[in-house]
Amino acid sequence: MTALTTDFEQPTMDDYPTRKSTEPALLYRKDPVVWGTPADGPMDQSSLDSFDEKGYLQVESLVTPEEVEKYRAELDRLAGDEDLKRDERTVVERSSNEVRSIFEVHKISEVFADLVRDPRVVGRARQLLGSDVYIHQSRVNYKPGFGGGDFYWHSDFETWHAEDGMPRPRALSLSLALTDNYPYNGPLMIMPGSHKTYVSCVGETPEEHFRESLKKQEIGTPDQASLSILADKHGIDLLTGPAGGGLFFDCNCMHGSGGNISPYPRSNVFIVFNSVENTCVEPFAAPSPRPPFIGARDFTPVR
Amino acid sequence: MTALTTDFEQPTMDDYPTRKSTEPALLYRKDPVVWGTPADGPMDQSSLDSFDEKGYLQVESLVTPEEVEKYRAELDRLAGDEDLKRDERTVVERSSNEVRSIFEVHKISEVFADLVRDPRVVGRARQLLGSDVYIHQSRVNYKPGFGGGDFYWHSDFETWHAEDGMPRPRALSLSLALTDNYPYNGPLMIMPGSHKTYVSCVGETPEEHFRESLKKQEIGTPDQASLSILADKHGIDLLTGPAGGGLFFDCNCMHGSGGNISPYPRSNVFIVFNSVENTCVEPFAAPSPRPPFIGARDFTPVR
């Protein structure tokens, strides 16, 4: 009898509800942050502990200056590809029609396919997530100077859970800086420690929400009271550093970035690894999953 | 004959031409930055030298925490005054209809009238400008959190020269912080040393330009190539620090501020002192002067 009841209730339970209520809420994370040990990869215990505590880890010189040059050249090549500009995987800036992001770069470009498989990259992802991993999303971002827009606060996991059907927060992102990040050119900001709190957002996801949300996020946006609580509790870290640095961060970090009026553009490669033990199901709060170039439905592990 | 020629040419000469050509230009500043000596006021030689070199000076605790409270209360009182909200001296944010600035606060509020006359304030202005001074402009600024807009790069003097008829760069501003300025809540950014270069801007000032330019500056905006040259040469300083701090900066500093997605709003009092030996004449590049609450036509010295 117990087994039957469990079977019946299981599908309706959701530890990370969002976009279903008219009231926002702060919920405790119910999953670990770090799943592996020092024996599982290149990082020592103190690095793993720091990731667990803050929700992110900066690796200076994750790649060499020569590799940065190679990736930048590839970025330029992709941004100049007129066919690719018309591809649905390419996002252009509303005001200027400049390329802002290109999705699924690990499939579009052999250079970035190699990067994803690099032990310095996937090795850390496997170690943190304690399993084989696959690419949930990859993209390159171009953030222009002289007025590039901001990216409002959000948890990636909230979106991936609601719109892509990612069951639990057992995923992480790598942002590899291809330009120097200064305090004044709109670097990523993270509320360190915020990844242990899940902000349940209000509102309902409309059909084909991704078309708008890639340009400017509105639904799935944390409420101001929750953001104030998290910022007062955790503070805000600016993730600055030279090109070539890698920032690994947990999927539930509250993060965003300011605008950039400086003359210095920012570019990075962004790779999302998800555990093969956490593959996506039906969306938890959207009519249908986003297209696979935004949230993969192919769970083949990176080898 | 020589004298006649000079007389004829003099009125058409302008050491700081702007908005008259289709090409931007970088011109050398032809005037001193610091006009006084340590004997003339509260600042020592090294402070004066630093102002001369960087174009700005931060004074920690220019006012006491109790005074900060007093000024913040006055700010709240003014922002809540519905009559004042309809006053032409009040600027509201385009998107939210929130009060963004109130001009001529030293005339509207006795509290800020006292601040302007305070020896810690006007004493430093007189010392730097080497003469009696009057108020060219005063205002309070409210920069909301959760998405307050940016302010693009500009030199105040370019505008004051073009639109208010300020002959030469012998003026300065005080920004008194009434909230803490963090790297992540859109603090003022200055290119240190940029005050010694004058960026001549392209374009022509339209009629009643001030109505739009107070919300979003477009005409009189430095070109991107000039900004890149100045930023590469001088770098960019973020002016952070706790409430109560005063920032004195030269009228020709290239400065701006980023947006503010953080939960922490920013407010300050902003006072522009001009030398009584530099009183305004007809605008150098506009059909008529801006209204006196933006650029004063009453040159009575502060006493």
Side-chain angles (χ1 to χ4, degrees), chain A residues 84-119:
Chain A
L84 191 54
K85 204 165 177 172
R86 286 185 292 271
D87 192 297
E88 63 171 350
R89 293 173 294 183
T90 302
V91 179
V92 295
E93 182 96 17
R94 251 176 198 163
S95 49
S96 65
N97 204 35
E98 296 272 313
V99 173
R100 180 162 165 170
S101 301
I102 302 171
F103 280 77
E104 227 173 34
V105 272
H106 71 292
K107 293 195 177 174
I108 291 171
S109 155
E110 198 50 49
V111 171
F112 292 121
D114 286 345
L115 174 65
V116 160
R117 286 189 292 261
D118 191 291

Side-chain angles (χ1 to χ4, degrees), chain A residues 263-276:
Chain A
Y264 308 111
R266 286 175 60 242
S267 323
N268 56 40
V269 192
F270 193 83
I271 307 163
V272 179
F273 294 100
N274 190 21
S275 168
V276 294

Side-chain angles (χ1 to χ4, degrees), chain A residues 145-148 150-153 183-184 189 191 223-225 227-228 231-233 235-238 256-264, chain B residues 145-148 150-153 183-184 189 191 223-225 227-228 231-233 235-238 256-264:
Chain A
F146 299 117
D150 58 30
F151 239 101
Y152 198 69
W153 300 106
Y184 49 75
M189 302 189 284
M191 300 186 191
D223 63 294
Q224 296 188 353
L227 289 174
S228 291
D232 288 348
K233 182 171 175 194
I236 297 173
D237 286 352
L238 255 69
S257 62
N260 178 16
I261 67 168
S262 91
Y264 308 111
Chain B
F146 299 116
D150 58 29
F151 239 99
Y152 198 68
W153 300 105
Y184 50 73
M189 302 190 285
M191 299 186 191
D223 64 293
Q224 296 188 354
L227 288 174
S228 292
D232 288 348
K233 182 171 175 195
I236 296 173
D237 286 352
L238 255 69
S257 62
N260 178 17
I261 67 167
S262 91
Y264 308 112

Side-chain angles (χ1 to χ4, degrees), chain B residues 160-171:
Chain B
W160 299 340
H161 185 65
E163 302 193 24
D164 299 339
M166 186 181 285
R168 314 196 71 86
R170 192 175 174 179

Side-chain angles (χ1 to χ4, degrees), chain B residues 15-16 30-31 157 161 166-171 251 274 278:
Chain B
D15 281 339
Y16 301 100
K30 296 191 174 61
D31 290 83
F157 175 65
H161 185 65
M166 186 181 285
R168 314 196 71 86
R170 192 175 174 179
C251 60
N274 189 21
N278 190 41

Side-chain angles (χ1 to χ4, degrees), chain A residues 32 37 42 50 60 86 110 133 157-158 254:
Chain A
T37 68
S50 176
E60 218 180 313
R86 286 185 292 271
E110 198 50 49
V133 295
F157 175 65
E158 192 278 339
M254 189 57 71

